[in-house]
Amino acid sequence: MTLRAYRWELRKLLSQKRTFLGLGAVVVIPLLFVTALVLNPPQGERTQFFFRYVTETGWAVPLILLVFSSIWFFPLVTALVAGDIVAAEDQNRTLKTILTRSTTRTSVFAAKVLAAFTYALVALLLFGLTSTVAGGLASGFDELPTFTTVISPGRAAVLVAASFAVYAMPVLAIAAIGVLLSTISKNSAGAVVGTLMVSLTMQLTRIIPGLDGDGVQRLMLTRQLNAWQSLFREPIDWSPIVHGAWVSVVYAAVALVIAWLHFVRRDVVA
Amino acid sequence: MSAVAVEARALRKEYGPRVAVDDVDLTVHRGDVYGYLGPNGAGKTTSLRMMLGLIHPTAGIVRLFGNDPVDDPIVALRGVAGFVEDPTFYPYLSGRTNLELLSGLDGGVDRARIDEVLEIVELASRAGDRVRGYSHGMRQRLGIAAALVRRPQLLLLDEPTTGLDPGGMRDMRELVRALAGEGITVLLSSHLMVEVEALCNRLAVIQRGQIRFEGGLEELLGRADGRYRLDTTDQGRALELCRAAAGLRDVSQENGEIRFAAERSAAAALTVDLGRAGVGIHALVPEGATLEELFFELTEETAE
């Protein structure tokens, strides 16, 4: 039953411009970055570690784009669909239409969560593939310097893929927060902006006295967006990744349980 | 399956201090075309939403063929379809794709059935167009199609002719009549007396969340039996005799005519009295009230 609803959620997503706005952006941004890189190679000191090597090896391109996109770009892309997926039913007043068919509220909710997650993962995959291919075409697939050593192109490919997998965990947690805001606010624009604001606020806590300590920052979802960087140490430091996994799971679980309870208990009056 | 299609007992919905539905009892039997009649804001739509499991009752129960639509919507809504307020669809999808989606949620897309219902509601030629471009009447008809696609035994329709032009209203009523003729039980919410009178065999009248009447249409219309209109050669004398006569009630004079309520025997005795008094009778006409008159009588007698 959930799979049927999930299939139809995907079909609805594929019929909406908003979906392609986000997916288009994850393809265009890496292409613009690489084009700028080719036309105007960066000069002088570069503070971001992987940025130093973008003209030497294409493997550095997806990694530096992961760093840059953590601030607002990927949270926004994720929020575009997650923040809309329940609220759009309220705005179109279609919730009553689907909830009077042979399905349960839990199945409809689960299908929406799965669809929002699917979209976020597809966006991340497209972002990774585009940035890797474009980076490779521009700078070649050569050896990649890491924080501790230099790795072969083969190992770089594995670690870049793993980086995107690790990055996906907090992205899915952000999607869950988007679904929560979408469910509670019943307003697409509010939920999309709200999700982005949650992410940006977490980023801002880094510069707020009292919240900038490591104890608090370790609990911020945005910190987990950079956990993948520990893959580029020899030996790999797994503790930030494991920590990022459970922090992401806690955020996602809390958001989804609250959203689910609200969804199954609410009165559909519109 | 239960012989009772819809059963509500002490059904109640409160929104804070406001009581939208106040201990409603109603029974729709299988095969009924049941009118749920009330002015706007009387509680019809809220009742229907509870019947469809869209909102949770504050108290009381509702059963569809014996099953609870809130606790077990899949079982309770099996064989049940309809819409509340107006039917709504995904505007960026075509009418046909919307039906496929809903059919898919029901368990599998039956394209032959979708073609069939699109023909029934006369939307086949526009089925490929996005719903965004549909007129109100087309959306109403698509709403009926969405209900029919699951081959319902019970249709819950909330003011299906609202917003339609006269031709659209006529077509919609004919469609509802045809569906009822196929044996589908229909619960039709409406504030239009003519609609209920034309289509329904039983009805409930709701006002301010409370049921004022439930029963057969004939039973309600029969309530008005026993009223008479009298025109004589001497209305002044006749009025005196009416007021003095045993068994006559509510005697009044309106626009020159005398009106009263009485049993048949009392009315017959009055004619004898009039004759003895030398008053000629031009007309003594039993009056039946229209549903509209009875509706206002029922809904206004308790109004503040």
Side-chain angles (χ1 to χ4, degrees):
Chain A
M1 194 185 307
T2 300
L3 280 178
R4 281 203 307 262
Y6 169 65
R7 196 168 63 240
W8 282 103
E9 284 298 330
L10 294 184
R11 181 157 178 186
K12 282 191 285 180
L13 281 182
L14 290 173
S15 304
Q16 296 177 78
K17 288 177 186 164
R18 157 188 314 261
T19 309
F20 294 99
L21 188 68
L23 295 182
V26 299
V27 171
V28 168
I29 293 286
L31 293 178
L32 286 176
F33 179 81
V34 171
T35 303
L37 203 65
V38 171
L39 296 177
N40 294 298
Q43 306 291 324
E45 185 66 22
R46 282 166 259 172
T47 52
Q48 286 288 347
F49 180 79
F50 290 108
F51 200 28
R52 296 173 200 160
Y53 307 105
V54 288
T55 51
E56 295 169 26
T57 173
W59 296 116
V61 171
L63 300 178
I64 194 61
L65 282 172
L66 273 189
V67 174
F68 291 157
S69 66
S70 298
I71 299 168
W72 63 266
F73 177 65
F74 228 87
L76 174 61
V77 168
T78 305
L80 271 179
V81 163
D84 181 67
I85 202 151
V86 178
E89 302 282 1
D90 281 291
Q91 290 186 318
N92 288 326
R93 299 171 57 236
T94 41
L95 214 44
K96 64 182 181 184
T97 306
I98 55 175
L99 292 181
T100 49
R101 312 306 290 200
S102 298
T103 187
T104 63
R105 292 190 184 206
T106 296
S107 291
V108 170
F109 179 77
K112 288 185 175 298
V113 172
L114 287 174
F117 281 8
T118 302
Y119 163 82
L121 293 175
V122 168
L124 197 54
L125 183 66
L126 277 177
F127 190 57
L129 287 175
T130 309
S131 56
T132 302
V133 171
L137 291 174
S139 305
F141 291 108
D142 298 315
E143 291 178 327
L144 174 70
T146 68
F147 299 114
T148 52
T149 184
V150 175
I151 57 175
S152 68
R155 181 150 176 81
V158 171
L159 291 184
V160 165
S163 300
F164 277 77
V166 173
Y167 190 85
M169 296 186 299
V171 163
L172 294 183
I174 290 170
I177 291 171
V179 171
L180 169 65
L181 295 179
S182 184
T183 306
I184 289 176
S185 73
K186 306 179 181 72
N187 179 300
S188 293
V192 171
V193 172
T195 307
L196 187 58
M197 291 305 295
V198 167
S199 178
L200 288 174
T201 303
M202 286 193 197
Q203 301 270 9
L204 281 175
T205 58
R206 286 190 304 180
I207 57 171
I208 297 175
L211 296 177
D212 56 349
D214 196 55
V216 173
Q217 288 303 307
R218 277 170 54 81
L219 299 177
M220 292 293 137
L221 206 47
T222 41
R223 164 79 77 93
Q224 320 318 321
L225 287 168
N226 291 315
W228 57 270
Q229 293 186 28
S230 66
L231 289 168
F232 294 89
R233 297 185 184 282
E234 291 291 341
I236 290 173
D237 180 4
W238 291 102
S239 61
I241 295 169
V242 172
H243 177 79
W246 73 253
V247 169
S248 301
V249 166
V250 169
Y251 271 97
V254 170
L256 293 179
V257 166
I258 295 171
W260 172 72
L261 286 173
H262 183 84
F263 190 77
V264 297
R265 290 179 177 183
R266 65 174 285 196
D267 283 344
V268 179
V269 293
Chain B
M1 193 178 271
S2 170
V4 176
V6 182
E7 181 182 24
R9 293 289 172 264
L11 192 61
R12 185 177 183 85
K13 183 63 183 179
E14 297 171 3
Y15 292 106
R18 189 172 73 82
V19 180
V21 173
D22 189 357
D23 296 337
V24 159
D25 290 334
L26 55 83
T27 307
V28 181
H29 298 287
R30 190 186 286 268
D32 276 348
V33 180
Y34 189 98
Y36 198 30
L37 189 61
N40 290 333
K44 304 185 298 293
T45 298
T46 304
S47 304
L48 259 64
R49 284 184 186 278
M50 286 191 279
M51 290 171 197
L52 286 166
L54 292 171
I55 61 179
H56 300 75
T58 305
I61 61 156
V62 59
R63 297 285 183 269
L64 304 178
F65 296 114
N67 300 303
D68 186 337
V70 175
D71 285 351
D72 196 350
I74 293 182
V75 172
L77 294 178
R78 191 173 292 148
V80 179
F83 53 79
V84 285
E85 287 185 311
D86 49 344
T88 51
F89 298 96
Y90 298 101
Y92 48 84
L93 298 177
S94 69
R96 180 184 298 279
T97 307
N98 268 285
L99 294 186
E100 287 175 358
L101 185 152
L102 297 174
S103 185
L105 287 176
D106 286 341
V109 179
D110 183 344
R111 288 191 165 74
R113 178 63 179 165
I114 289 171
D115 288 340
E116 193 181 332
V117 297
L118 284 168
E119 289 291 342
I120 291 172
V121 300
E122 298 176 6
L123 271 180
S125 62
R126 298 290 303 275
D129 296 353
R130 288 184 181 180
V131 169
R132 181 178 286 127
Y134 280 21
S135 67
H136 178 72
M138 290 167 72
R139 288 178 198 221
Q140 295 288 98
R141 281 185 279 147
L142 189 61
I144 297 281
L148 295 182
V149 84
R150 55 192 292 168
R151 303 177 194 276
Q153 294 174 301
L154 168 64
L155 265 180
L156 301 174
L157 302 176
D158 190 14
E159 312 215 359
T161 59
T162 297
L164 299 183
D165 60 26
M169 290 170 86
R170 181 200 58 206
D171 293 347
M172 182 63 77
R173 285 173 192 158
E174 283 176 4
L175 180 59
V176 171
R177 191 177 286 118
L179 295 172
E182 291 173 15
I184 296 175
T185 305
V186 179
L187 193 163
L188 175 78
S189 146
S190 180
H191 64 270
L192 301 173
M193 272 67 75
V194 64
E195 191 163 276
V196 170
E197 197 164 11
L199 293 172
C200 302
N201 64 314
R202 297 184 69 243
L203 79 160
V205 177
I206 184 171
Q207 162 74 335
R208 297 186 177 185
Q210 295 181 329
I211 297 293
R212 303 294 186 205
F213 171 84
E214 195 204 15
L217 183 62
E218 294 302 323
E219 181 189 341
L220 179 59
L221 292 172
R223 275 189 168 199
D225 286 352
R227 294 198 66 82
Y228 292 88
R229 183 163 50 84
L230 175 66
D231 186 21
T232 65
T233 54
D234 183 350
Q235 291 290 78
R237 178 69 182 135
L239 187 62
E240 286 173 16
L241 289 169
C242 286
R243 285 184 171 144
L248 268 62
R249 308 180 305 277
D250 302 333
V251 178
S252 64
Q253 191 168 17
E254 297 171 26
N255 301 322
E257 287 185 330
I258 297 167
R259 290 168 189 269
F260 61 86
E263 297 293 325
R264 283 164 59 88
S265 56
L270 175 67
T271 60
V272 175
D273 291 346
L274 289 168
R276 282 183 181 151
V279 178
I281 299 173
H282 290 311
L284 177 61
V285 183
E287 286 188 308
T290 64
L291 180 59
E292 186 173 43
E293 287 168 334
L294 291 165
F295 173 77
F296 286 127
E297 193 178 299
L298 285 166
T299 57
E300 290 178 353
E301 66 188 11
T302 53
E304 290 171 9

